[in-house]
């Protein structure tokens, strides 16, 4: 079944993916495509509406990204946001000029009645971020919103169904921004809201059944959300013809390997092979202290372990990759996906004998992948799992990785995770874990002197791991965590809290 589609044309603004996510959250499928897309391609794509994103350029600059004016003659509704609204005004005969004062941040706007402002109050705060402004509207357009500094904060022509907004409806700071986008989709474009994750699951399973038939499929399962959801979808379509290989490198968190086996093998009845390679990895890591060498060794060994298992299976028809939509956009704006460079999946294709790669999640944003996970009945611990690096705990142990240090790390990390969940902070903190520093300090426990490891707590908030801030865990929660770790965990006698943002630090310590 085909669903309705909206086209989001990318003019290089920082919120572009956010616009696409907001549209999808309203139950309408959309794709983010480069602004250079030709009119023929746009027609072929057959969208119910087009959104021009913001961007850093000025429309009157020589090399600024443009679009063929014919786009307004296709009979498809258009919404221009920020740069997109300047471009709309500019191409249709309005005037855009550099403003004397830039306008950044929260601004109050007054709305006029229009299909775009249905169910919105007369006044609301919105988020502005622009230097240029429109000084004359094109013929046929009327004002929909104005602010003190910006007489044409939003405008439109209901007949042609072309609209522009100077502010950013996609950001949280814009009150009723979501409502405005929803109005564009439902009141202007005639959306029916057919993009739901239950539809997706249903359609995807049918499509996969048809495509895969009774061919053999192989999947590298890491325990991470993407591979777990991809494998579960495929399992629903082909059952036992899917084989999953899970390499346990011995660097996972407490109970993690058992949980993967219990959810996917015992619970879902998947054909899941666990490669117990912990000893091999630990041997290879003996004496290694350099972080990059650790990563390299783990990456190579991972591929080797996977290769050994997959050779036992023999030739397969399809290899599953957990590629998601942001990977597709970043790797060439929707043209073709590069296989993820993460060590635990990158590099696999060359060692596996397969005919084709299959990527069932390549149309989905991360939050949609999670919804699909829930839709498929996966537990919260899998679906909401925090990001975990391929090299695992090895890069959270400074210096040499030993069995003893792994145990200390696992136990302390488990306490941290338990207490963060108990305090109800597990969904607002992006990542939280403990690290074994390579410092030992003196302590006193009972009447005895101790000389043990310093454990660091690392907890960050982030949107995409590119930048991060240290999480403000309340002191009383930190107190419980600290007390529990020094009392319950062997070889730990001091706890410190990492209060560094990224940049200049990174999230992981190595
Ligand atoms: P950093 O430490 O660079 O981490 O700020 C950014 C995010 O990436 C995760 N990370 C990895 N993920 N393979 C992965 O799959 C890796 O080698 C790897 N190294 C770091 C890290 O946990 C954080 O979420």
């Amino acid at each position: 079944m085909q669903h309705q589609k909206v086209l989001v044309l990318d003019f290089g603004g920082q919120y572009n993916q956010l616009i696409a996510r907001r549209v999808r959250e309203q139950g309408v499928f959309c794709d983010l495509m480069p602004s250079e897309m030709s009119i023929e391609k746009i027609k072929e794509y057959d969208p119910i509406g087009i959104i021009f994103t913001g961007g850093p350029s000025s429309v009157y600059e020589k090399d600024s990204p443009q679009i063929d004016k014919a786009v307004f003659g296709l009979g498809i509704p258009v919404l221009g946001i920020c740069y997109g609204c300047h471009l709309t005004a500019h191409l249709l005969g309005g005037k855009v000029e550099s403003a004397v004062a830039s306008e950044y941040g929260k601004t109050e706007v007054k709305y006029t009645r229009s299909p775009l402002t249905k169910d919105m109050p007369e006044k609301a705060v919105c988020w502005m971020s622009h230097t240029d402004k429109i000084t004359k509207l094109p013929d046929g357009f009327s004002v929909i919103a104005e602010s003190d500094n910006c007489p044409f904060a939003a405008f439109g022509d209901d007949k042609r169904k072309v609209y522009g907004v100077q502010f950013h409806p996609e950001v949280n700071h814009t009150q009723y921004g979501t409502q405005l986008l929803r109005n564009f989709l439902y009141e202007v474009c005639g959306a029916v809201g057919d993009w739901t994750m239950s539809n997706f699951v249903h359609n995807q399973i049918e499509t996969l059944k048809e495509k895969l038939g009774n061919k053999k499929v192989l999947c590298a399962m890491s325990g991470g959300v993407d591979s777990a959801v991809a494998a579960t979808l495929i399992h629903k379509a082909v059952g036992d013809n899917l084989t999953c290989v899970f390499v346990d490198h011995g660097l996972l968190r407490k109970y993690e390997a058992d949980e993967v086996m219990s959810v996917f093998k015992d619970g879902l009845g998947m054909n899941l092979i666990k490669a117990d390679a912990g000893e091999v990895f630990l041997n290879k890591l003996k004496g290694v202290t350099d972080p990059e060498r650790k990563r390299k060794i783990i990456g190579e060994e991972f591929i080797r372990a996977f290769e050994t298992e997959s050779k036992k299976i023999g030739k397969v028809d399809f290899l599953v990759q957990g590629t998601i939509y942001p990977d597709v956009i970043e790797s060439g704006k929707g043209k073709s996906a590069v296989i993820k460079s993460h060590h635990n999946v990158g590099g696999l294709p060359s060692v596996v004998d397969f005919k084709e790669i299959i990527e069932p999640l390549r149309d989905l944003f991360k939050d949609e992948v999670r919804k699909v996970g829930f839709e498929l009945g996966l537990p919260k611990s899998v679906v909401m799992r925090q990001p975990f690096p391929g090299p695992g705990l090895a890069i959270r142990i400074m210096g040499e990785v030993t069995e003893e240090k792994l145990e200390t790390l696992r136990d302390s990390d488990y306490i941290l995770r338990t207490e963060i969940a108990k305090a109800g902070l597990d969904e607002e903190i992006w990542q939280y874990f403990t690290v074994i520093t390579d410092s030992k300090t003196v302590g006193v426990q009972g009447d005895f002197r101790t000389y043990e490891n310093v454990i660091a707590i690392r907890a960050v908030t982030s949107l995409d791991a590119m930048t991060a801030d240290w999480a403000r865990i309340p002191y009383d929660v930190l107190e419980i965590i600290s007390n529990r770790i020094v009392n319950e965990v062997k070889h730990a006698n001091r706890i410190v809290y990492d209060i560094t943002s990224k940049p200049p630090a990174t999230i992981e310590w190595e």
Side-chain angles (χ1 to χ4, degrees), residues 53 94 146 189 196 198 200 216 251 344 410 446 468 477:
T53 74
E146 58 182 306
C189 303
T196 64
S198 83
F200 173 85
K216 294 247 171 284
L251 305 165
N344 44 352
R410 276 198 192 102
V477 179

Side-chain angles (χ1 to χ4, degrees), residues 306-360:
F306 188 83
E307 187 179 25
T308 309
E309 288 309 319
S310 63
K311 280 221 169 102
K312 290 183 198 159
I313 300 159
K315 192 171 171 57
V316 292
D317 301 287
F318 295 95
L319 178 72
V320 183
Q321 294 272 334
T323 316
I324 67 171
Y325 196 55
D327 307 326
V328 176
I329 301 171
E330 271 145 35
S331 64
K333 302 216 170 174
K335 285 175 196 127
S336 67
V338 194
I339 288 112
K340 273 190 182 180
S341 55
H342 284 178
H343 98 265
N344 44 352
V345 280
L348 287 186
S350 60
V351 301
V352 184
D353 199 3
F354 69 101
K355 277 200 220 134
E356 199 182 326
I357 287 181
I358 178 149
E359 300 168 311

Side-chain angles (χ1 to χ4, degrees), residues 295 342-344 387-391 395 430-431 465 502 506-508:
R295 280 175 174 274
H342 284 178
H343 98 265
N344 44 352
F388 186 66
I395 57 166
W430 170 268
Q431 253 177 306
K502 171 183 180 177
T506 51
I507 295 176
E508 303 290 345

